[in-house]
Amino acid sequence: MIEIHNLTKCYDEATVVDDVSLKLPESGITAIVGPNGAGKSTLLSMMARLIAPTAGRVLVDGLDVQETPGAVLAKRLAILKQNNQVNMRLTVSELVAFGRFPHSGGRPTVEDKRHIDEAIAYLGLNELRDRFLDELSGGQRQRAFVAMVLAQDTKYVLLDEPLNSLDMKHAAAMMKLLRRTADELAKSITVVIHDINFASIYADHVVAMRDGRVMLEGGAVDLMQELVLKDIYDTVVKVREVDGHRLGLHYL
Amino acid sequence: MQAAASMTVRVRPAAGLMLAVGCVLVLAAISLFVGVADMPLGDLISGDGSAQAIQLLLVSRIPRTVALVLSGMSMGVAALIMQMLFRNRFVEPTTTGTVEAASLGLLVVALLAPGLPVFYKMVVASGFALGTTFLFLRLVSKIPAGSSLVVPLLGLMFGGVINAVTTFFAYRYDLLQSLATWTNGDFSGVLRGRYELLFIAGGLAVLSYLAADRFTVAGLGESFTRNLGLNYGRIVASGLAIVSMVSAAAVVTAGTVPFLGLIVANLVSMAVGDNLRRALPWVAVSGAGFLLACDIIGRVVRFPYEIPVGTVAGVLGSGIFLFLLLRRRARFG
């Protein structure tokens, strides 16, 4: 379980994350939603010890992320940030292999190679495995990064806007894949996501943030209420039920 | 870290590397026998009149060739490591103020403690280089990520400012001539006893292979590095230390060769990619080969006079550099 206790992050005067306390479950998909500047990404980065909090702490299975050695934590928790501007010429399989670094220390065993191959196959990258990253489309590259994070084989996977550079087809495919990963591999996947409808359809657990605070914590049904959405996004979002899913129509 | 499937596929590039090593050995052999003084192979073997030939070989030709190989490989490796740490394809010690800072350090020693043994001169010079490069890295991380060309442009200006300070004091204290030899690579003056510090640079280049994976991960960025449980700051510090010592060793011995590392690292990246496990040996071998070739050209073009290797490399290098720039623009534009 990931426990967040009174987490706060301030930059000079601005408080980006304001006294957040949460418990994230051991399995399933948790979606963190909210308007721009709500502090979602900052929260995620603090959970993965990429940013040091101003106050409060994060415990991953009881381990304080700020005090636990990075190598220990890297076997339990993986994070993929958004906007990965990587202009390195690595092949897909080389990149994914680096996901095993916490386990292999640079000397991959048979076990490591199995994980690498599985992650590549899982994301449908078999044909692209010897291609360089700079020869791939944005969506393919994003899949390669996700494969790397999956190869790391951690119980907790944090993804910061994984749908960002994906078109409709690949965005839906990515969410289905994350759903499958959470179910089949019994992982706890936390995604920061902009599209509330993806959260509504695929997430087990939703955390809605605004102005650095948690506005709502609960199931997708709790989020997809017109009054709740108006509160969070400060705009009118009609909610309709389609094929058993509650969808928000913010275009109207 | 070689990925699973590539283990079998990439046997051939290993053969390619062997071939490249062979080419460098041939160039080194040519380098041994090109020079103003006659040194027929027959004399060396036969034994008559060989004392002089062997003397020439031991005191001048072998040191010069070894110095070229060590400089070439260490400058290539330094540039590649730097490109990982800055996450920019256009940096190397001469486009980031590193070499200029090493020269400034050396000038300070020449003014304040001229009697210092050359090893300590190198230590001081690398200290200056390290501090300045670290400062420049901090500066670069503050500017918003825009065009990748902003970083080397800023670096060249930064180096220019440091160089202005150095030149001012060198002019005041009549050391301009020494200054020129520090930054403009010229191996004609390399003799036994005056290049051995380059073994430190060469040793560091070889040693850096042990941390090849870490430098590659650092090239992916700080978030990736920390996610994999590695200490980003420590990787950056050790990488910059290697770069600074290599630059300082070059400055105190034969001088640096602008753009050499940058070109070699870019060409190798295009050919074999940026996985340092694979790229570092290639960069080391190509760096040595390129520098040997430039030096041989410099010795032959106006025989019996010599053109400094820095000039040859500059002419060849700026052409290749321009080609790289235009090619890159074509790819992203």
Side-chain angles (χ1 to χ4, degrees), chain A residues 102-154:
Chain A
H103 304 271
S104 69
R107 274 184 287 278
T109 62
V110 177
E111 166 85 359
D112 292 316
K113 282 173 188 159
R114 185 176 63 77
H115 277 285
I116 295 163
D117 289 341
E118 278 176 8
I120 288 174
Y122 214 76
L123 279 123
L125 292 166
N126 273 331
E127 280 95 65
L128 301 174
R129 63 179 298 151
D130 290 322
R131 291 268 289 276
F132 284 114
L133 291 177
D134 61 354
E135 298 164 353
L136 304 180
S137 71
Q140 291 168 334
R141 207 174 307 149
Q142 180 72 355
R143 271 152 62 204
F145 288 135
V146 173
M148 171 186 171
V149 171
L150 287 188
Q152 204 174 330
D153 191 30
T154 53

Short mmCIF file of all heavy atoms in Angstrom, two decimals, chain A residues 102-154:
data_model
loop_
_atom_site.label_atom_id
_atom_site.label_comp_id
_atom_site.label_asym_id
_atom_site.label_seq_id
_atom_site.Cartn_x
_atom_site.Cartn_y
_atom_site.Cartn_z
N PRO A 102 17.70 -2.22 -11.96
CA PRO A 102 17.65 -2.40 -10.50
C PRO A 102 17.84 -3.86 -10.08
O PRO A 102 18.30 -4.13 -8.98
CB PRO A 102 16.24 -1.91 -10.13
CG PRO A 102 15.83 -1.02 -11.24
CD PRO A 102 16.49 -1.56 -12.48
N HIS A 103 17.47 -4.79 -10.96
CA HIS A 103 17.59 -6.21 -10.63
C HIS A 103 18.93 -6.77 -11.10
O HIS A 103 19.56 -7.56 -10.43
CB HIS A 103 16.47 -7.01 -11.29
CG HIS A 103 15.10 -6.51 -10.94
ND1 HIS A 103 14.41 -6.95 -9.85
CD2 HIS A 103 14.31 -5.57 -11.53
CE1 HIS A 103 13.23 -6.33 -9.79
NE2 HIS A 103 13.16 -5.47 -10.78
N SER A 104 19.36 -6.35 -12.30
CA SER A 104 20.53 -6.98 -12.92
C SER A 104 21.83 -6.26 -12.59
O SER A 104 22.89 -6.86 -12.67
CB SER A 104 20.36 -7.01 -14.43
OG SER A 104 20.43 -5.68 -14.94
N GLY A 105 21.74 -4.98 -12.25
CA GLY A 105 22.96 -4.19 -12.04
C GLY A 105 23.82 -4.14 -13.29
O GLY A 105 25.02 -3.93 -13.22
N GLY A 106 23.22 -4.32 -14.45
CA GLY A 106 23.96 -4.24 -15.70
C GLY A 106 24.42 -5.59 -16.24
O GLY A 106 24.94 -5.67 -17.34
N ARG A 107 24.21 -6.66 -15.46
CA ARG A 107 24.57 -7.99 -15.96
C ARG A 107 23.30 -8.84 -16.01
O ARG A 107 22.99 -9.56 -15.07
CB ARG A 107 25.61 -8.65 -15.06
CG ARG A 107 27.02 -8.27 -15.41
CD ARG A 107 28.02 -9.01 -14.55
NE ARG A 107 28.03 -8.50 -13.19
CZ ARG A 107 28.70 -7.42 -12.81
NH1 ARG A 107 29.44 -6.78 -13.68
NH2 ARG A 107 28.64 -7.00 -11.57
N PRO A 108 22.57 -8.75 -17.12
CA PRO A 108 21.28 -9.42 -17.19
C PRO A 108 21.39 -10.94 -17.16
O PRO A 108 22.22 -11.53 -17.85
CB PRO A 108 20.69 -8.94 -18.52
CG PRO A 108 21.83 -8.40 -19.30
CD PRO A 108 22.88 -7.99 -18.34
N THR A 109 20.58 -11.56 -16.33
CA THR A 109 20.52 -13.02 -16.25
C THR A 109 19.44 -13.52 -17.21
O THR A 109 18.78 -12.74 -17.87
CB THR A 109 20.15 -13.45 -14.82
OG1 THR A 109 18.85 -12.91 -14.54
CG2 THR A 109 21.13 -12.91 -13.80
N VAL A 110 19.27 -14.83 -17.25
CA VAL A 110 18.22 -15.43 -18.07
C VAL A 110 16.86 -14.90 -17.64
O VAL A 110 16.01 -14.56 -18.46
CB VAL A 110 18.26 -16.98 -17.94
CG1 VAL A 110 17.13 -17.61 -18.74
CG2 VAL A 110 19.61 -17.50 -18.41
N GLU A 111 16.69 -14.79 -16.34
CA GLU A 111 15.45 -14.25 -15.76
C GLU A 111 15.18 -12.83 -16.26
O GLU A 111 14.07 -12.49 -16.67
CB GLU A 111 15.60 -14.28 -14.23
CG GLU A 111 14.58 -13.47 -13.46
CD GLU A 111 13.30 -14.23 -13.20
OE1 GLU A 111 13.22 -15.39 -13.65
OE2 GLU A 111 12.39 -13.67 -12.57
N ASP A 112 16.24 -12.00 -16.25
CA ASP A 112 16.09 -10.63 -16.74
C ASP A 112 15.67 -10.62 -18.20
O ASP A 112 14.81 -9.84 -18.61
CB ASP A 112 17.40 -9.85 -16.57
CG ASP A 112 17.73 -9.62 -15.11
OD1 ASP A 112 16.82 -9.25 -14.36
OD2 ASP A 112 18.90 -9.82 -14.73
N LYS A 113 16.29 -11.48 -18.98
CA LYS A 113 15.98 -11.50 -20.42
C LYS A 113 14.55 -11.92 -20.66
O LYS A 113 13.90 -11.43 -21.59
CB LYS A 113 16.96 -12.43 -21.15
CG LYS A 113 18.29 -11.74 -21.33
CD LYS A 113 19.35 -12.63 -21.88
CE LYS A 113 20.68 -11.90 -21.84
NZ LYS A 113 21.81 -12.80 -21.88
N ARG A 114 14.05 -12.82 -19.82
CA ARG A 114 12.66 -13.24 -19.95
C ARG A 114 11.73 -12.04 -19.71
O ARG A 114 10.81 -11.80 -20.49
CB ARG A 114 12.37 -14.36 -18.93
CG ARG A 114 10.97 -14.96 -19.07
CD ARG A 114 10.79 -16.12 -18.10
NE ARG A 114 10.90 -15.72 -16.69
CZ ARG A 114 9.93 -15.09 -16.02
NH1 ARG A 114 8.81 -14.80 -16.61
NH2 ARG A 114 10.12 -14.74 -14.76
N HIS A 115 12.03 -11.28 -18.67
CA HIS A 115 11.21 -10.10 -18.38
C HIS A 115 11.26 -9.10 -19.54
O HIS A 115 10.24 -8.50 -19.89
CB HIS A 115 11.71 -9.41 -17.11
CG HIS A 115 11.17 -10.03 -15.86
ND1 HIS A 115 9.88 -9.85 -15.44
CD2 HIS A 115 11.76 -10.85 -14.95
CE1 HIS A 115 9.69 -10.53 -14.32
NE2 HIS A 115 10.81 -11.15 -14.00
N ILE A 116 12.44 -8.92 -20.11
CA ILE A 116 12.58 -7.97 -21.22
C ILE A 116 11.74 -8.42 -22.40
O ILE A 116 10.96 -7.65 -22.97
CB ILE A 116 14.07 -7.85 -21.62
CG1 ILE A 116 14.88 -7.24 -20.48
CG2 ILE A 116 14.21 -7.03 -22.89
CD1 ILE A 116 16.38 -7.45 -20.61
N ASP A 117 11.86 -9.70 -22.76
CA ASP A 117 11.10 -10.22 -23.89
C ASP A 117 9.60 -10.13 -23.65
O ASP A 117 8.84 -9.78 -24.53
CB ASP A 117 11.51 -11.68 -24.17
CG ASP A 117 12.91 -11.77 -24.74
OD1 ASP A 117 13.39 -10.74 -25.26
OD2 ASP A 117 13.52 -12.84 -24.67
N GLU A 118 9.20 -10.45 -22.44
CA GLU A 118 7.77 -10.41 -22.11
C GLU A 118 7.22 -8.99 -22.22
O GLU A 118 6.15 -8.76 -22.78
CB GLU A 118 7.52 -10.94 -20.70
CG GLU A 118 7.47 -12.45 -20.65
CD GLU A 118 7.32 -12.98 -19.22
OE1 GLU A 118 7.11 -12.15 -18.30
OE2 GLU A 118 7.43 -14.19 -19.05
N ALA A 119 7.98 -8.03 -21.68
CA ALA A 119 7.51 -6.64 -21.72
C ALA A 119 7.40 -6.16 -23.16
O ALA A 119 6.44 -5.47 -23.52
CB ALA A 119 8.46 -5.74 -20.92
N ILE A 120 8.37 -6.54 -23.98
CA ILE A 120 8.34 -6.12 -25.38
C ILE A 120 7.14 -6.74 -26.09
O ILE A 120 6.41 -6.06 -26.81
CB ILE A 120 9.67 -6.52 -26.08
CG1 ILE A 120 10.79 -5.62 -25.58
CG2 ILE A 120 9.53 -6.40 -27.60
CD1 ILE A 120 12.16 -6.00 -26.09
N ALA A 121 6.90 -8.02 -25.83
CA ALA A 121 5.77 -8.70 -26.46
C ALA A 121 4.46 -8.11 -25.95
O ALA A 121 3.52 -7.89 -26.72
CB ALA A 121 5.84 -10.19 -26.16
N TYR A 122 4.39 -7.82 -24.66
CA TYR A 122 3.18 -7.31 -24.04
C TYR A 122 2.73 -6.01 -24.69
O TYR A 122 1.54 -5.76 -24.84
CB TYR A 122 3.45 -7.07 -22.55
CG TYR A 122 2.26 -7.33 -21.67
CD1 TYR A 122 1.88 -8.63 -21.37
CD2 TYR A 122 1.55 -6.28 -21.11
CE1 TYR A 122 0.79 -8.88 -20.55
CE2 TYR A 122 0.46 -6.52 -20.30
CZ TYR A 122 0.08 -7.82 -20.02
OH TYR A 122 -0.99 -8.05 -19.22
N LEU A 123 3.67 -5.18 -25.09
CA LEU A 123 3.32 -3.92 -25.73
C LEU A 123 3.35 -3.99 -27.25
O LEU A 123 3.33 -2.97 -27.92
CB LEU A 123 4.22 -2.81 -25.20
CG LEU A 123 3.64 -2.36 -23.87
CD1 LEU A 123 4.62 -2.48 -22.77
CD2 LEU A 123 3.00 -1.01 -23.96
N GLY A 124 3.44 -5.20 -27.76
CA GLY A 124 3.37 -5.37 -29.21
C GLY A 124 4.53 -4.72 -29.94
O GLY A 124 4.37 -4.13 -31.00
N LEU A 125 5.72 -4.82 -29.35
CA LEU A 125 6.88 -4.15 -29.95
C LEU A 125 7.85 -5.13 -30.59
O LEU A 125 8.99 -4.76 -30.89
CB LEU A 125 7.61 -3.32 -28.88
CG LEU A 125 6.84 -2.11 -28.34
CD1 LEU A 125 7.50 -1.60 -27.06
CD2 LEU A 125 6.78 -1.01 -29.37
N ASN A 126 7.40 -6.38 -30.78
CA ASN A 126 8.34 -7.39 -31.29
C ASN A 126 9.01 -6.99 -32.60
O ASN A 126 10.22 -7.17 -32.76
CB ASN A 126 7.62 -8.73 -31.47
CG ASN A 126 7.63 -9.52 -30.18
OD1 ASN A 126 8.55 -9.38 -29.38
ND2 ASN A 126 6.61 -10.32 -29.96
N GLU A 127 8.21 -6.42 -33.51
CA GLU A 127 8.81 -6.07 -34.81
C GLU A 127 9.72 -4.85 -34.71
O GLU A 127 10.53 -4.61 -35.58
CB GLU A 127 7.72 -5.77 -35.84
CG GLU A 127 7.09 -6.99 -36.46
CD GLU A 127 5.81 -7.38 -35.74
OE1 GLU A 127 4.85 -6.60 -35.78
OE2 GLU A 127 5.78 -8.45 -35.11
N LEU A 128 9.53 -4.07 -33.65
CA LEU A 128 10.29 -2.82 -33.54
C LEU A 128 11.49 -2.94 -32.60
O LEU A 128 12.17 -1.96 -32.35
CB LEU A 128 9.37 -1.70 -33.03
CG LEU A 128 8.14 -1.39 -33.87
CD1 LEU A 128 7.26 -0.38 -33.16
CD2 LEU A 128 8.54 -0.87 -35.23
N ARG A 129 11.75 -4.12 -32.10
CA ARG A 129 12.69 -4.22 -30.98
C ARG A 129 14.12 -3.80 -31.34
O ARG A 129 14.86 -3.35 -30.48
CB ARG A 129 12.68 -5.61 -30.35
CG ARG A 129 13.11 -6.73 -31.27
CD ARG A 129 13.07 -8.05 -30.50
NE ARG A 129 13.99 -8.03 -29.39
CZ ARG A 129 13.85 -8.72 -28.26
NH1 ARG A 129 12.79 -9.49 -28.10
NH2 ARG A 129 14.75 -8.66 -27.32
N ASP A 130 14.51 -3.92 -32.59
CA ASP A 130 15.86 -3.50 -32.96
C ASP A 130 15.90 -2.13 -33.63
O ASP A 130 16.93 -1.72 -34.16
CB ASP A 130 16.51 -4.55 -33.87
CG ASP A 130 16.82 -5.82 -33.09
OD1 ASP A 130 17.24 -5.70 -31.92
OD2 ASP A 130 16.63 -6.92 -33.62
N ARG A 131 14.75 -1.44 -33.60
CA ARG A 131 14.73 -0.08 -34.18
C ARG A 131 15.19 0.93 -33.14
O ARG A 131 14.98 0.76 -31.94
CB ARG A 131 13.30 0.26 -34.61
CG ARG A 131 12.83 -0.56 -35.80
CD ARG A 131 13.13 0.14 -37.12
NE ARG A 131 12.27 1.30 -37.29
CZ ARG A 131 11.04 1.23 -37.79
NH1 ARG A 131 10.53 0.09 -38.13
NH2 ARG A 131 10.32 2.32 -37.94
N PHE A 132 15.85 2.00 -33.61
CA PHE A 132 16.26 3.06 -32.70
C PHE A 132 15.05 3.91 -32.31
O PHE A 132 14.13 4.11 -33.11
CB PHE A 132 17.32 3.94 -33.35
CG PHE A 132 18.67 3.31 -33.40
CD1 PHE A 132 19.26 2.96 -34.61
CD2 PHE A 132 19.37 3.06 -32.22
CE1 PHE A 132 20.52 2.37 -34.65
CE2 PHE A 132 20.63 2.48 -32.26
CZ PHE A 132 21.20 2.13 -33.47
N LEU A 133 15.08 4.44 -31.09
CA LEU A 133 13.96 5.24 -30.59
C LEU A 133 13.66 6.44 -31.48
O LEU A 133 12.51 6.83 -31.65
CB LEU A 133 14.26 5.75 -29.17
CG LEU A 133 14.30 4.72 -28.06
CD1 LEU A 133 14.67 5.40 -26.75
CD2 LEU A 133 12.96 4.03 -27.92
N ASP A 134 14.71 7.04 -32.04
CA ASP A 134 14.47 8.24 -32.84
C ASP A 134 13.90 7.91 -34.22
O ASP A 134 13.66 8.80 -35.02
CB ASP A 134 15.74 9.11 -32.95
CG ASP A 134 16.89 8.37 -33.62
OD1 ASP A 134 16.75 7.17 -33.89
OD2 ASP A 134 17.94 9.00 -33.86
N GLU A 135 13.70 6.62 -34.48
CA GLU A 135 13.06 6.24 -35.74
C GLU A 135 11.60 5.87 -35.53
O GLU A 135 10.93 5.42 -36.46
CB GLU A 135 13.80 5.03 -36.35
CG GLU A 135 15.26 5.32 -36.70
CD GLU A 135 16.06 4.06 -36.93
OE1 GLU A 135 15.53 2.96 -36.70
OE2 GLU A 135 17.22 4.18 -37.32
N LEU A 136 11.11 6.01 -34.29
CA LEU A 136 9.75 5.60 -33.97
C LEU A 136 8.80 6.80 -33.95
O LEU A 136 9.24 7.94 -33.77
CB LEU A 136 9.70 4.91 -32.60
CG LEU A 136 10.60 3.71 -32.39
CD1 LEU A 136 10.41 3.16 -30.99
CD2 LEU A 136 10.32 2.62 -33.41
N SER A 137 7.51 6.54 -34.08
CA SER A 137 6.52 7.59 -33.91
C SER A 137 6.35 7.87 -32.42
O SER A 137 6.80 7.08 -31.58
CB SER A 137 5.19 7.16 -34.51
OG SER A 137 4.62 6.15 -33.70
N GLY A 138 5.70 8.98 -32.09
CA GLY A 138 5.52 9.33 -30.68
C GLY A 138 4.82 8.24 -29.90
O GLY A 138 5.20 7.92 -28.78
N GLY A 139 3.81 7.65 -30.52
CA GLY A 139 3.05 6.60 -29.83
C GLY A 139 3.88 5.34 -29.60
O GLY A 139 3.82 4.73 -28.53
N GLN A 140 4.67 4.97 -30.60
CA GLN A 140 5.53 3.79 -30.46
C GLN A 140 6.57 4.00 -29.38
O GLN A 140 6.86 3.11 -28.58
CB GLN A 140 6.22 3.49 -31.80
CG GLN A 140 5.27 3.01 -32.88
CD GLN A 140 5.90 2.99 -34.25
OE1 GLN A 140 6.85 3.75 -34.53
NE2 GLN A 140 5.39 2.14 -35.13
N ARG A 141 7.10 5.22 -29.34
CA ARG A 141 8.12 5.53 -28.34
C ARG A 141 7.51 5.45 -26.94
O ARG A 141 8.10 4.90 -26.01
CB ARG A 141 8.68 6.93 -28.60
CG ARG A 141 10.09 7.11 -28.11
CD ARG A 141 10.64 8.45 -28.53
NE ARG A 141 10.52 8.67 -29.97
CZ ARG A 141 10.35 9.87 -30.53
NH1 ARG A 141 10.31 10.94 -29.78
NH2 ARG A 141 10.24 9.98 -31.83
N GLN A 142 6.29 5.98 -26.82
CA GLN A 142 5.60 5.93 -25.53
C GLN A 142 5.40 4.48 -25.09
O GLN A 142 5.59 4.15 -23.92
CB GLN A 142 4.25 6.67 -25.67
CG GLN A 142 3.42 6.70 -24.40
CD GLN A 142 4.01 7.63 -23.36
OE1 GLN A 142 5.09 8.19 -23.53
NE2 GLN A 142 3.32 7.77 -22.25
N ARG A 143 5.05 3.62 -26.03
CA ARG A 143 4.88 2.21 -25.70
C ARG A 143 6.21 1.60 -25.25
O ARG A 143 6.25 0.76 -24.34
CB ARG A 143 4.32 1.45 -26.90
CG ARG A 143 2.80 1.45 -26.93
CD ARG A 143 2.27 1.33 -28.32
NE ARG A 143 2.63 0.09 -28.98
CZ ARG A 143 2.69 -0.06 -30.31
NH1 ARG A 143 2.40 0.95 -31.10
NH2 ARG A 143 3.02 -1.21 -30.83
N ALA A 144 7.29 2.02 -25.90
CA ALA A 144 8.61 1.49 -25.51
C ALA A 144 8.94 1.90 -24.08
O ALA A 144 9.46 1.10 -23.29
CB ALA A 144 9.68 2.00 -26.48
N PHE A 145 8.61 3.15 -23.71
CA PHE A 145 8.88 3.60 -22.34
C PHE A 145 8.04 2.80 -21.35
O PHE A 145 8.53 2.42 -20.27
CB PHE A 145 8.57 5.09 -22.19
CG PHE A 145 9.55 5.99 -22.87
CD1 PHE A 145 9.13 7.07 -23.63
CD2 PHE A 145 10.91 5.76 -22.75
CE1 PHE A 145 10.05 7.89 -24.27
CE2 PHE A 145 11.82 6.57 -23.38
CZ PHE A 145 11.39 7.64 -24.14
N VAL A 146 6.78 2.56 -21.69
CA VAL A 146 5.93 1.78 -20.80
C VAL A 146 6.47 0.36 -20.67
O VAL A 146 6.49 -0.22 -19.57
CB VAL A 146 4.46 1.78 -21.29
CG1 VAL A 146 3.61 0.84 -20.45
CG2 VAL A 146 3.88 3.19 -21.22
N ALA A 147 6.97 -0.19 -21.78
CA ALA A 147 7.56 -1.54 -21.72
C ALA A 147 8.75 -1.55 -20.77
O ALA A 147 8.94 -2.50 -19.99
CB ALA A 147 8.00 -1.98 -23.12
N MET A 148 9.55 -0.48 -20.80
CA MET A 148 10.71 -0.40 -19.91
C MET A 148 10.25 -0.42 -18.45
O MET A 148 10.82 -1.13 -17.61
CB MET A 148 11.47 0.89 -20.19
CG MET A 148 12.56 1.19 -19.19
SD MET A 148 13.31 2.80 -19.50
CE MET A 148 14.30 2.94 -18.02
N VAL A 149 9.20 0.34 -18.17
CA VAL A 149 8.70 0.42 -16.80
C VAL A 149 8.11 -0.92 -16.35
O VAL A 149 8.27 -1.34 -15.21
CB VAL A 149 7.66 1.57 -16.69
CG1 VAL A 149 6.98 1.53 -15.35
CG2 VAL A 149 8.33 2.90 -16.89
N LEU A 150 7.45 -1.62 -17.30
CA LEU A 150 6.90 -2.93 -16.95
C LEU A 150 8.01 -3.96 -16.73
O LEU A 150 7.90 -4.83 -15.86
CB LEU A 150 5.95 -3.43 -18.05
CG LEU A 150 4.59 -2.74 -18.15
CD1 LEU A 150 3.70 -3.47 -19.13
CD2 LEU A 150 3.90 -2.65 -16.80
N ALA A 151 9.08 -3.85 -17.53
CA ALA A 151 10.20 -4.78 -17.36
C ALA A 151 10.84 -4.62 -15.98
O ALA A 151 11.43 -5.55 -15.43
CB ALA A 151 11.25 -4.56 -18.44
N GLN A 152 10.68 -3.44 -15.42
CA GLN A 152 11.23 -3.18 -14.08
C GLN A 152 10.52 -4.06 -13.05
O GLN A 152 11.04 -4.30 -11.96
CB GLN A 152 11.06 -1.69 -13.75
CG GLN A 152 12.04 -1.16 -12.73
CD GLN A 152 11.91 0.35 -12.56
OE1 GLN A 152 11.56 1.07 -13.51
NE2 GLN A 152 12.19 0.84 -11.37
N ASP A 153 9.33 -4.55 -13.43
CA ASP A 153 8.60 -5.54 -12.65
C ASP A 153 8.41 -5.12 -11.19
O ASP A 153 8.80 -5.82 -10.27
CB ASP A 153 9.33 -6.89 -12.72
CG ASP A 153 8.45 -8.01 -12.14
OD1 ASP A 153 7.23 -7.89 -12.25
OD2 ASP A 153 9.01 -8.97 -11.58
N THR A 154 7.79 -3.95 -11.02
CA THR A 154 7.53 -3.46 -9.68
C THR A 154 6.05 -3.64 -9.36
O THR A 154 5.22 -3.70 -10.26
CB THR A 154 7.85 -1.95 -9.59
OG1 THR A 154 7.15 -1.28 -10.64
CG2 THR A 154 9.33 -1.71 -9.75
#
